[in-house]
Amino acid sequence: MKKILIANFKMNKTDIETKEYILNLDEKLKGFKHQTKIVLCLPYTSLYLARQYEGDKFVFGAQNMHEEESGQFTGEISAKMLSEMNIKTVLIGHSERRKYFNETNEKINKKIKTALRYGFEIILCVGETRSQRNTGKIYVTLEKQIKEALSGIYENELKSIIIAYEPVWAIGTGNVADNNDVTKAVKEIKKIISHNYSDTAGRQAQIIYGGSLTSQNSTKIFKNEEIAGALVGGSSLDYKEFAKIILK
Ligand code: PGA
């Protein structure tokens, strides 16, 4: 049973397009009962919409934030700025940030600590590349990413952190991960959390899946009781398709 669905718009949709999207999605969901928490991670230019549309239906999230409180970081956005805009959720460590903006686990760890101070719900993205997969390094990669990202984070803070398992080779490629592989990865992530914190923490860890999820393949993924939801990129851009995933 999915509990949370996160739309990651990435660098797509202008403000006008986003407003239209929200109204359309809202309309599309009218009259349907669902218990899924829907988080819309919009480009910064549209995040002010959170003040207008934040409510029972939608929660708004940022796709990134800077780890420092303020300062000489041209072009960056701080936790305080997001918080004041009614933003409740932030994606941290997305593989595109790791790849194109050189985000290291150390930097990700700092961002998590700052985000926790501001009371955000954090979506920590982890996942192996194709070559790490081909060389049998899936689990060592996940372990390193999680251990380093959560270094110095207390067990009671884990309730604010959702881990998104997003195999890099599955993102934006149309190659959704095999259900068995997702199950194995989720078990492994829980084991890593148990090992570093406690069995209870491992059991309670909230893990979602991301990577080429569509309305066609989502039923299979959501059948897995261990999966708390999904992070959806490409398929979230069309409100009709995203609505289908929500209503599955
Ligand atoms: P995708 O992106 O659904 O387009 O594969 C997922 C993500 O990057 O979070």
Side-chain angles (χ1 to χ4, degrees):
M1 171 75 185
K2 63 184 186 290
K3 298 186 197 82
I4 182 165
L5 271 183
I6 305 168
N8 178 11
F9 278 16
K10 309 192 180 186
M11 198 174 72
N12 292 297
K13 292 199 191 291
T14 65
D15 181 38
I16 292 173
E17 291 165 345
T18 303
K19 236 185 272 176
E20 216 173 84
Y21 176 99
I22 293 171
L23 295 175
N24 282 331
L25 183 61
D26 189 26
E27 188 60 35
K28 193 92 193 151
L29 296 176
K30 255 191 198 130
F32 288 101
K33 278 216 166 81
H34 67 85
Q35 291 178 330
T36 309
K37 174 173 169 180
I38 303 164
V39 186
L40 304 176
C41 291
L42 309 177
Y44 293 132
T45 46
S46 298
L47 282 181
Y48 76 95
L49 292 171
R51 287 198 181 125
Q52 213 170 322
Y53 296 106
E54 165 91 31
D56 295 345
K57 282 231 178 79
F58 307 124
V59 173
F60 290 80
Q63 299 170 17
N64 177 41
M65 51 155 256
H66 199 273
E67 63 274 23
E68 296 296 339
E69 301 268 341
S70 64
Q72 292 161 307
F73 303 104
T74 303
E76 291 290 333
I77 299 277
S78 75
K80 195 174 178 184
M81 292 168 190
L82 294 173
S83 175
E84 210 181 274
M85 286 175 95
N86 216 12
I87 302 307
K88 303 280 198 298
T89 301
V90 63
L91 302 184
I92 293 186
H94 190 281
S95 66
E96 287 154 14
R97 301 283 324 164
R98 293 177 191 258
K99 182 174 173 190
Y100 300 117
F101 303 94
N102 301 319
E103 281 197 11
T104 59
N105 290 329
E106 195 189 344
K107 201 172 171 69
I108 288 164
N109 175 248
K110 284 187 187 156
K111 288 185 185 220
I112 292 177
K113 286 177 176 160
T114 306
L116 284 170
R117 274 202 306 282
Y118 280 84
F120 285 102
E121 171 180 64
I122 294 155
I123 314 296
L124 166 64
C125 304
V126 298
E128 80 286 356
T129 60
R130 170 71 69 196
S131 85
Q132 284 164 333
R133 183 175 196 80
N134 290 345
T135 49
K137 294 199 179 112
I138 303 176
Y139 305 130
V140 285
T141 302
L142 293 178
E143 182 166 24
K144 185 171 162 60
Q145 288 175 336
I146 293 170
K147 248 176 120 166
E148 293 182 9
L150 297 183
S151 164
I153 305 293
Y154 298 105
E155 182 164 338
N156 66 355
E157 294 174 314
L158 293 181
K159 60 180 181 311
S160 306
I161 303 174
I162 293 174
I163 298 180
Y165 172 58
E166 296 209 296
V168 180
W169 51 269
I171 295 179
T173 57
N175 300 318
V176 69
D178 176 88
N179 212 16
N180 289 335
D181 288 345
V182 177
T183 307
K184 268 196 231 157
V186 169
K187 280 204 177 119
E188 203 57 37
I189 292 171
K190 290 195 174 234
K191 227 197 276 172
I192 296 164
I193 300 287
S194 302
H195 189 77
N196 285 280
Y197 292 94
S198 68
D199 285 347
T200 314
R203 248 194 332 273
Q204 291 175 346
Q206 299 186 75
I207 301 164
I208 62 175
Y209 169 79
S212 295
L213 195 97
T214 64
S215 61
Q216 302 290 314
N217 59 34
S218 60
T219 314
K220 228 176 170 179
I221 296 280
F222 295 142
K223 253 195 202 137
N224 189 334
E225 286 292 320
E226 303 273 10
I227 300 282
L231 179 49
V232 191
S235 297
S236 73
L237 293 175
D238 172 4
Y239 74 90
K240 290 186 198 138
E241 171 69 358
F242 194 49
K244 268 193 206 161
I245 299 175
I246 294 166
L247 298 173
K248 280 253 164 182

